[in-house]
């Protein structure tokens, strides 16, 4: 039997090119060799205040994105987290073996608490416990993510170990699978990771049209004048990285030589990056327009049934081991 692979994405509008190169591209590739289970993590998404109608349509649209990107519902399971209440039951149990101190030192928690000073809710703190529950519920061995999720994944491994020590061997310790593009940086603030929360200018959505992609890349920060002379600035490095992650090794090599002998024109580098992104997304964007909501409903109804079977089995085993009546 193939190994189980699990991953999740928050339905917070169209994924950006960081989500794509950091995780989704691997989801598509790895579904050939694994039993892939892919989850729209709407329960995680509400740790930040969300408009209900927006959350609803973002969830539908995210599934359209996954289908158009090439996740195959005949091969893989695609489902919505809130459809399987066992995630919450397991998360509660895992809460009881997770030290608060571990949660308080999570970088993402600290960043989000800083960004959302008026809403530092308990869900933000226990977010990684729910994430551990997502993974362990399906006894997943492999978890493709970008490197911003590595700390959470390490905690999931610690939690699995603690559970196994306390209640007997139950969960495998999940391994992260990282792609080459494990961290894509913001276009406007290239020392930070690309993220929706830093505004339109800093990311490229995978549904952005060619014109928008060109405009955003043209505005990307390159040299700020503050860097040491022998050091490539983070903005320029990010642009070069795009070429590598998009498989344009020949252009990368040529332009890197120009960079080194100081003949490079950043306008040309940006054009090459924009061209590569547009080319990479063209097929997806064509397919995306044709996917209907009825197809989405069919896929998640089937996904729910498939996920439920595994989730219920695991929870029966867990309840028995813990000693629930
Ligand atoms: P989310 O929705 O923030 O991001 C989805 C995936 O995209 C990756 N990613 C990036 N990769 C490279 N560069 C970037 N700038 C970048 N930004 C985001 C993320 O690493 C992630 O893989 N907590 C998770 C969702 C989740 C999950 C899970 C993942 C919930 N349960 C269980 C794996 C397993 C998250 O917020 O992802």
């Amino acid at each position: 039997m193939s190994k189980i692979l699990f991953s999740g994405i928050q339905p917070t509008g169209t994924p950006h090119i960081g989500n794509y190169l950091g995780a989704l591209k691997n989801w598509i590739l790895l579904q050939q060799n694994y039993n892939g289970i892919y989850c729209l993590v709407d329960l995680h998404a509400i740790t930040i205040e969300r408009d209900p109608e927006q959350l609803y349509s973002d969830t539908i649209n995210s599934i359209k994105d996954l289908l158009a990107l090439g996740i195959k519902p005949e091969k893989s399971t695609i489902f919505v987290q809130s459809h399987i209440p066992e995630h919450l039951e397991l998360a509660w149990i895992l809460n009881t073996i997770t030290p608060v101190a571990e949660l308080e030192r999570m970088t993402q928690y600290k960043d989000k608490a800083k960004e959302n000073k008026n809403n530092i809710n308990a869900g933000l703190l226990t977010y990684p416990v729910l994430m551990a529950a997502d993974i362990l519920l399906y006894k997943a061995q492999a978890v493709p993510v970008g490197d911003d999720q590595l700390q959470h994944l390490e905690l999931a491994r610690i939690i699995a170990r603690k559970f196994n020590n306390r209640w007997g061997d139950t969960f495998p310790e999940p391994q992260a699978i990282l792609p080459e593009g494990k961290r894509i940086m913001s276009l406007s603030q290239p020392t930070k990771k690309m993220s929706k929360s830093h505004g339109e200018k800093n990311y490229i959505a995978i549904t952005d049209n060619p014109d928008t992609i060109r405009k955003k890349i043209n505005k990307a920060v390159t040299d700020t004048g503050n860097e040491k002379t022998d050091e490539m600035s983070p903005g320029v490095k990010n642009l070069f990285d795009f070429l590598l992650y998009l498989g344009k090794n020949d252009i990368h090599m040529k332009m890197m030589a120009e960079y080194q002998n100081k003949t490079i024109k950043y306008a040309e580098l940006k054009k090459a990056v924009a061209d590569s992104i547009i080319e990479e997304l063209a097929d997806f964007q064509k397919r995306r327009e044709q996917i209907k909501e009825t197809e989405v409903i069919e896929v998640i109804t089937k996904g729910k049934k498939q996920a439920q079977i595994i989730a219920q089995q695991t929870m029966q085993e867990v309840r028995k081991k813990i000693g629930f009546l």
Side-chain angles (χ1 to χ4, degrees):
M1 226 174 63
S2 333
K3 280 190 182 172
I4 295 184
L5 174 139
F6 183 96
S7 201
I9 184 165
Q10 299 189 61
T12 47
T14 315
H16 53 66
I17 192 87
N19 300 129
Y20 172 70
L21 293 171
L24 301 176
K25 207 170 171 181
N26 250 348
W27 293 19
I28 304 156
L29 288 173
L30 295 166
Q31 65 180 338
Q32 305 306 326
N33 302 324
Y34 287 87
N35 177 4
I37 305 180
Y38 300 115
C39 183
L40 272 300
V41 293
D42 53 353
L43 297 166
H44 279 108
I46 61 164
T47 51
I48 305 290
E49 213 174 304
R50 301 293 310 278
D51 171 68
E53 278 174 28
Q54 189 70 45
L55 177 61
Y56 186 95
S57 63
D58 280 349
T59 309
I60 300 271
N61 285 330
S62 302
I63 296 160
K64 286 187 181 174
D65 292 332
L66 293 186
L67 294 173
L69 281 170
I71 307 285
K72 300 267 173 262
E74 323 69 84
K75 264 206 118 285
S76 306
T77 300
I78 304 171
F79 77 104
V80 178
Q81 189 184 30
S82 63
H83 290 180
I84 308 289
E86 283 81 1
H87 287 247
L88 295 165
E89 187 183 352
L90 185 57
W92 175 258
I93 293 165
L94 301 182
N95 267 328
T96 68
I97 53 170
T98 306
V100 174
E102 290 280 359
L103 297 174
E104 282 171 339
R105 67 178 192 86
M106 292 290 119
T107 314
Q108 185 172 301
Y109 168 68
K110 287 194 261 185
D111 288 348
K112 286 200 174 168
K114 227 185 275 165
E115 282 166 17
N116 301 282
K117 285 211 171 65
N118 300 327
N119 184 18
I120 308 180
N121 59 75
L124 273 185
L125 182 68
T126 56
Y127 182 111
V129 183
L130 179 58
M131 183 164 157
D134 296 340
I135 300 166
L136 301 184
L137 191 56
Y138 300 92
K139 301 195 177 182
Q141 285 137 299
V143 184
V145 281
D147 82 347
D148 62 321
Q149 296 300 316
L150 277 186
Q151 202 184 24
H152 290 167
L153 208 70
E154 190 47 47
L155 183 58
R157 292 162 60 83
I158 294 174
I159 294 175
R161 228 173 289 148
K162 277 183 181 281
F163 187 102
N164 293 344
N165 287 340
R166 167 94 63 100
W167 288 300
D169 212 17
T170 311
F171 299 118
E173 285 180 31
Q175 304 281 346
I177 302 190
L178 286 176
E180 221 183 343
K182 54 186 190 268
R183 183 174 291 232
I184 305 295
M185 307 310 280
S186 155
L187 300 177
S188 51
Q189 305 169 71
T191 50
K192 295 188 175 158
K193 72 167 181 176
M194 183 178 281
S195 157
K196 286 274 178 74
S197 54
H198 302 136
E200 281 274 334
K201 278 191 306 193
N202 99 94
Y203 70 88
I204 287 179
I206 58 173
T207 48
D208 277 348
N209 64 36
D211 194 38
T212 308
I213 294 176
R214 283 192 201 288
K215 279 193 185 130
K216 286 185 178 173
I217 293 288
N218 280 340
K219 287 202 182 123
V221 169
T222 49
D223 293 341
T224 57
N226 293 331
E227 33 294 291
K228 294 181 200 133
T229 42
D230 55 344
E231 216 171 69
M232 186 181 272
S233 68
V236 174
K237 178 172 183 310
N238 200 31
L239 291 174
F240 270 109
D241 283 349
F242 272 114
L243 292 177
L244 273 190
Y245 304 153
L246 293 164
K248 302 292 178 194
N249 299 41
D250 45 345
I251 305 180
H252 182 273
M253 207 153 71
K254 176 176 160 281
M255 294 212 144
M256 192 55 92
E258 291 173 1
Y259 175 85
Q260 271 149 4
N261 65 29
K262 301 199 168 56
T263 57
I264 191 162
K265 293 196 180 75
Y266 286 148
E268 283 173 17
L269 174 63
K270 286 179 168 179
K271 182 175 180 309
V273 171
D275 286 346
S276 316
I277 296 176
I278 292 166
E279 184 189 320
E280 176 84 10
L281 297 176
D283 285 347
F284 154 76
Q285 294 189 348
K286 251 183 257 150
R287 284 197 299 267
R288 175 70 174 72
E289 280 168 19
Q290 287 150 18
I291 296 178
K292 305 259 176 324
E293 192 161 328
T294 47
E295 194 179 335
V296 169
I297 303 297
E298 263 172 44
V299 165
I300 53 170
T301 308
K302 180 171 163 225
K304 177 181 173 179
K305 282 190 194 135
Q306 289 169 332
Q308 210 165 34
I309 295 173
I310 311 179
Q312 288 179 349
Q313 244 172 23
T314 305
M315 282 319 296
Q316 263 181 19
E317 183 187 348
V318 165
R319 289 185 207 115
K320 199 166 161 215
K321 285 189 166 153
I322 292 181
F324 288 153
L325 193 65

